[in-house]
Amino acid sequence: MRGNFKSTSTLVARTKGLMGGALALALGATAAFAAGEAAHIDRQSWSFAGVNGRFDRAQLQRGFQVYKEVCATCHGLKRINFRNLAEPGGPEFSAEGVKGLAESYRVEDGPNDQGKMFQRAGRPSDPIPSPYKNEQEARAVQNGAYPPDLSLITKARSAGENASVFATIGSMLRDIPSGYQEGGADYVYALLTGYANPPADMKLAQGMNYNQAFPGHQIAMVPPLQPGQIKYEDGSQGTVEQYAKDVTAFLAWAGDPKLEERKRMGVLVILYLLITAVLVYFAKRRLWAKVH
Amino acid sequence: MTQHESTYRPTTRAGQWLDERLPAARLMHSSFVDYPTPRNLNYLWTFGGILSFCLGVQIVTGIVLAMHYVPSDKMAFDSIEHIRRNVNFGWLIRNVHAVGASMFFIAVYIHIARGLYYGSYKAPREVLWILGVIIYLLMMAAGFMGYTLPWGQMSFWGVTVITNLFSAIPFVGQSIVKWLWGGYAVSGVTLNRFFSLHYLLPFVIAGVVVLHIWALHVVGQNNPTGIEIKTRADTVPMTPYATMKDFVGLSVFILFFSWFVFFAPDYLGHADNYIEANPLSTPPHIVPEWYYLPFYAILRAIPSKLGGVVAMFSAILILAFVPWLDTSRVKSTKYRPVYRYFFWFFIFSVLALGYLGGKPPEGAYVYWARFFTAYYFLHFLVVMPIVGVLETPRPMPRSISEAVLGGAGGTPHGATAAPERR
Amino acid sequence: MISAGAFAAVGAAATLWPLIQQMNPDASTQALASTEIDLKPIQEGQAITVIWRGKPVFIRNRTPDEIKKAADTPLADLVDASARNDALPEKAPATDLNRTKKGKENWLVMVGICTHLGCIPKGQSLSDSKGDYGGWFCPCHGSHYDTAGRIRKGPAPRNLEVPPYEFVSDTTIKIG
């Protein structure tokens, strides 16, 4: 479940921006049903943001480690195949490493000659197996909550303004020219680092945890990351922030594996078009000079 | 007026042979080469060509995407992800098609606003204008059905909300909705028929575009002064002059287009559409694509269901009556000292409605939406007829060439702005 | 001439009919049988959503407080005065009793589709916003339903529809 409830204060602020302050009073009374205060999602500095954004291989590799050791217990990543982990533009693990990794999983295949399904070792062409067979099994195990598949999580979430329907003129002028598309990653990072003690006046439902970033602030997922929980081989710090950052970067890649190809091609295309536009413009001026 | 002698002279024997049997090349030549265009067209007139380009892009990328897309409720979402991840350049083609829909609408809104500002709907261009309104309606239908195809949460709930609009029709509404759905709710059956129609509509649009261009070439182009072409001196041959200018506009437009394709491909969409459709969970905010937001705001501004639906469809259909609602003697708003303020307030209202359409239907947003909805209709039904009668237009140049070259009398040089000098 | 033309026109119209009719719900969709639901696991104050003919059906085990609130509402306060109960005639007034089964007033069974534009109202899970009248709230365009599923505020024109259902045992219902 996800909400986009805007807090009363942002509603008022936005409305003021467009229409002037007079109607702020009218609003205060009616926005009361908004289920909870949604926290402001801070922007992070991502290596893959912006026109020249590229993933940091080491970060993606660490992020995969976090996913594998922590998230994978409950969350699937079904749109990523093992082979993707070795492909350019991603974590770029070695092909042998990926083959070995795939073989450490058991995958259902079949039917065989007897018409039975059977288990075999994974292959690089297999998708990463999900922890549950289906949503019903996940809910049964997870006490009714459904841990979503993470393949598209950074695409399927946004931080308010980072989408046209929530945009203001200011955010458009900031995000379109800079090519900032990382609202989803900002949200995931804020969620992973957003666990806190609930305010004194708030009563949490049974089995729920307080999270500053989650809409409504009540989330079924227990705080997944603890300091020192994962041993990084490259000596990076074992803090919750570091884990969250790494795994979010990895998930951003999982949601958009062609990002580097896209941005690399984009720069060339834009340069080419700029030159074309200038040439066409001057050709047009020469042509029209005769008729004036 | 715009009837002109064809200057087409086939140079080869084969060309002459064909010209005597099927003068297709002659038709093309007189329509797009030596066709006389007003010499004072500004860059807003390049959007016609840009729109043809957009239609072509959507058709070509659409045909290619259909080779990989699977129109089934079980497979649609997965097949889009397959296109994004596995198909060679699939991510690029899909981005161009998705962003292209938005670009198409940006261009068409500029095109419509230009028509409204310069009075391009006025006699003798009524049929031309109405054909344009039909194209716009077809575009909305095509865009709406296309947005269904990824089968994400917004796709599913957008279809649910929009098809349910028809249930507001008295007596037969429910049957119509069931007929549209092919079931008791939106389902894979609905998706499949929408795919079929989404593939069909662009070709229907292309057909109406041919009529639109035909009508344009019968009555001739309007121009920033709104004065009809009087002599040959008012015109330049379409090729190379107007076409060259079209290429300048197009180059800049493609640059803008490409920026979104490569650096903000998801900006114009909604994050919820990366969640697969779930018939049992409504997203907290259902918003249509940005280009429908003004009409969505009008729908929600009216407290009654039938009233809202009627208002929304009227808001589009009223455009078809504009040629008869505008009583002004002059075409171009440039010479209309009073109307111009109303025009810009109208543009502001549409933008404000677009903003409000993306907001939750609560509190002050509803009241503002009602205010701007009221102005939207007042503008057409009251302002256009009344201001046109009461207003005294500014002095006009006698001809297009006088406006461009600044001959004796008329308006001061520059006031009538020959914009191609920019 | 005229008769020939008319005769041919009949043929053309007859050809059109299958082409239009094919879009209506097909045999497999229509054949979706009725559903039986066991109500035992639903505690007082809880609600479940089941699927019937591809539509969500809300089943709520209402608390005495919720029933009282619905029963005490004067009919004059209602937007839609019809019970919208498929088992009752169209003119039946929208009393709380007419929205439920006699002796089983705690069970409220209705199609969970907003009568405005077909969204699924919130209010089924405990953490949902239930709107100004403690029943359901549709997030799409802000319709509020009371604890008997009657529209009270917002753009929806009708009460939530009560589908045809019956108690086959004390704790089991059959919808359809």
Side-chain angles (χ1 to χ4, degrees), chain A residues 116-136:
Chain A
K116 300 274 190 303
M117 303 303 279
F118 60 92
Q119 299 279 320
R120 60 161 172 81
R123 297 176 193 139
S125 57
D126 287 325
I128 294 181
S130 298
Y132 305 109
K133 280 200 191 68
N134 45 49
E135 181 175 338
Q136 284 77 2

Side-chain angles (χ1 to χ4, degrees), chain A residues 45-275:
Chain A
S45 69
W46 302 106
S47 67
F48 49 90
V51 173
N52 267 316
R54 297 285 184 275
F55 290 112
D56 171 352
R57 310 278 161 242
Q59 185 174 45
L60 293 192
Q61 297 194 355
R62 291 195 302 271
F64 176 69
Q65 193 186 348
V66 178
Y67 166 75
K68 186 167 175 282
E69 292 180 19
V70 183
C71 318
T73 326
C74 303
H75 293 275
L77 196 67
K78 64 179 177 186
R79 296 183 199 281
I80 291 295
N81 300 345
F82 290 109
R83 64 179 166 84
N84 296 134
L85 295 169
E87 283 168 3
E92 298 185 3
F93 287 110
S94 71
E96 298 79 56
V98 167
K99 194 157 184 282
L101 176 77
E103 280 165 359
S104 70
Y105 285 81
R106 305 297 292 170
V107 177
E108 192 177 65
D109 202 348
N112 62 12
D113 295 346
Q114 277 75 47
K116 300 274 190 303
M117 303 303 279
F118 60 92
Q119 299 279 320
R120 60 161 172 81
R123 297 176 193 139
S125 57
D126 287 325
I128 294 181
S130 298
Y132 305 109
K133 280 200 191 68
N134 45 49
E135 181 175 338
Q136 284 77 2
E137 191 194 51
R139 285 194 190 276
V141 175
Q142 293 288 342
N143 201 16
Y146 175 51
D149 188 273
L150 297 182
S151 311
L152 281 167
I153 200 77
T154 59
K155 287 274 168 196
R157 299 291 183 271
S158 66
E161 291 175 356
N162 198 241
S164 59
V165 290
F166 303 119
T168 59
I169 290 171
S171 75
M172 280 184 189
L173 289 178
R174 184 186 58 204
D175 293 343
I176 296 174
S178 63
Y180 193 83
Q181 288 261 290
E182 274 60 44
D186 290 337
Y187 171 80
V188 172
Y189 176 82
L191 183 90
L192 290 172
T193 56
Y195 286 91
N197 291 322
D201 59 338
M202 185 171 175
K203 199 170 145 271
L204 289 175
Q206 204 197 343
M208 300 300 250
N209 303 280
Y210 182 79
N211 189 302
Q212 289 163 346
F214 194 69
H217 299 318
Q218 297 201 45
I219 186 168
M221 177 165 74
V222 295
L225 301 168
Q226 311 299 334
Q229 180 182 18
I230 301 151
K231 294 279 166 286
Y232 279 145
E233 282 169 24
D234 64 0
S236 297
Q237 279 189 313
T239 61
V240 170
E241 285 75 20
Q242 183 69 43
Y243 296 149
K245 200 107 196 221
D246 292 346
V247 78
T248 304
F250 171 73
L251 292 173
W253 165 77
D256 199 355
K258 303 290 182 186
L259 179 142
E260 292 196 3
E261 191 182 341
R262 168 162 62 83
K263 294 190 174 179
R264 198 173 292 123
M265 189 191 287
V267 171
L268 294 176
V269 169
I270 296 289
L271 277 177
Y272 167 80
L273 288 172
L274 269 175
I275 295 168

Side-chain angles (χ1 to χ4, degrees), chain B residues 50 100-101 118 139-140 153 173 205 226 252 254 264 270 287 338 356 395 405:
Chain B
I50 287 170
Y118 292 111
M139 274 176 67
M140 291 182 105
Q153 274 289 67
I205 293 175
V252 175
I254 296 175
H270 194 292
V287 275
V338 180
L356 293 164
L405 304 171

Side-chain angles (χ1 to χ4, degrees), chain B residues 65-394:
Chain B
L65 287 171
M67 295 178 185
H68 304 279
Y69 172 77
V70 185
S72 131
D73 56 343
K74 303 278 184 301
M75 297 281 295
F77 192 86
D78 289 342
S79 69
I80 300 277
E81 282 307 308
H82 171 67
I83 291 169
R84 286 186 66 223
R85 289 160 193 270
N86 295 324
V87 174
N88 302 324
F89 295 104
W91 60 269
L92 174 64
I93 299 162
R94 177 255 185 191
N95 283 356
V96 170
H97 197 73
V99 171
S102 283
M103 294 298 140
F104 209 152
F105 276 95
I106 289 175
V108 87
Y109 283 131
I110 294 174
H111 194 64
I112 294 172
R114 188 269 286 156
L116 284 173
Y117 185 84
Y118 292 111
S120 302
Y121 45 82
K122 291 179 80 70
R125 296 187 180 82
E126 301 95 326
V127 172
L128 172 63
W129 174 262
I130 289 170
L131 286 167
V133 175
I134 292 170
I135 293 172
Y136 176 52
L137 276 171
L138 289 170
M139 274 176 67
M140 291 182 105
F144 162 67
M145 291 185 189
Y147 194 58
T148 312
L149 303 185
W151 209 239
Q153 274 289 67
M154 277 299 155
S155 302
F156 183 89
W157 290 99
V159 181
T160 301
V161 168
I162 302 299
T163 47
N164 256 310
L165 294 179
F166 292 96
S167 71
I169 302 169
F171 309 116
V172 292
Q174 292 292 345
S175 311
I176 291 179
V177 172
K178 208 163 70 178
W179 179 74
L180 283 173
W181 287 343
Y184 303 101
V186 174
S187 67
V189 178
T190 324
L191 172 65
N192 216 324
R193 60 187 56 180
F194 277 19
F195 174 65
S196 170
L197 295 174
H198 180 71
Y199 206 120
L200 166 72
L201 279 182
F203 299 99
V204 178
I205 293 175
V208 185
V209 165
V210 170
L211 296 180
H212 191 63
I213 295 174
W214 185 8
L216 173 71
H217 284 209
V218 170
V219 295
Q221 282 165 298
N222 187 24
N223 63 78
T225 62
I227 303 164
E228 296 298 330
I229 295 170
K230 286 176 179 146
T231 62
R232 195 92 193 163
D234 291 343
T235 69
V236 288
M238 178 162 171
T239 303
Y241 295 100
T243 32
M244 199 66 198
K245 197 158 187 167
D246 279 350
F247 277 119
V248 176
L250 188 60
S251 309
V252 175
F253 184 79
I254 296 175
L255 202 55
F256 179 73
F257 191 147
S258 302
W259 187 266
F260 277 93
V261 168
F262 291 102
F263 300 118
D266 296 316
Y267 191 86
L268 298 162
H270 194 292
D272 277 359
N273 230 25
Y274 276 106
I275 304 172
E276 194 167 357
N278 178 357
L280 292 184
S281 164
T282 316
H285 277 169
I286 296 182
V287 275
E289 287 281 79
W290 67 265
Y291 35 84
Y292 303 128
L293 288 175
F295 300 104
Y296 196 58
I298 291 174
L299 168 77
R300 300 193 305 184
I302 312 289
S304 112
K305 178 172 169 177
L306 183 59
V309 173
V310 168
M312 187 182 79
F313 283 109
S314 312
I316 304 167
L317 293 178
I318 202 167
L319 286 171
F321 297 95
V322 164
W324 296 278
L325 289 170
D326 185 359
T327 54
S328 169
R329 280 166 291 149
V330 300
K331 291 197 183 83
S332 176
T333 305
K334 195 191 282 185
Y335 303 107
R336 301 185 60 184
V338 180
Y339 177 73
R340 63 196 314 156
Y341 295 107
F342 288 102
F343 175 83
W344 287 113
F345 188 68
F346 172 75
I347 298 290
F348 177 78
S349 298
V350 174
L351 294 175
L353 283 169
Y355 173 83
L356 293 164
K359 293 290 150 201
E362 57 190 40
Y365 292 134
V366 178
Y367 296 108
W368 281 109
R370 284 181 191 156
F371 171 76
F372 287 115
T373 300
Y375 183 72
Y376 184 97
F377 286 104
L378 280 178
H379 180 82
F380 289 115
L381 296 174
V382 178
V383 172
M384 270 194 167
I386 292 180
V387 173
V389 172
L390 298 182
E391 176 184 57
T392 313
R394 292 206 181 131

Side-chain angles (χ1 to χ4, degrees), chain A residues 24-37:
Chain A
L25 285 171
L27 237 164
T30 44
F33 78 86
E37 300 278 309

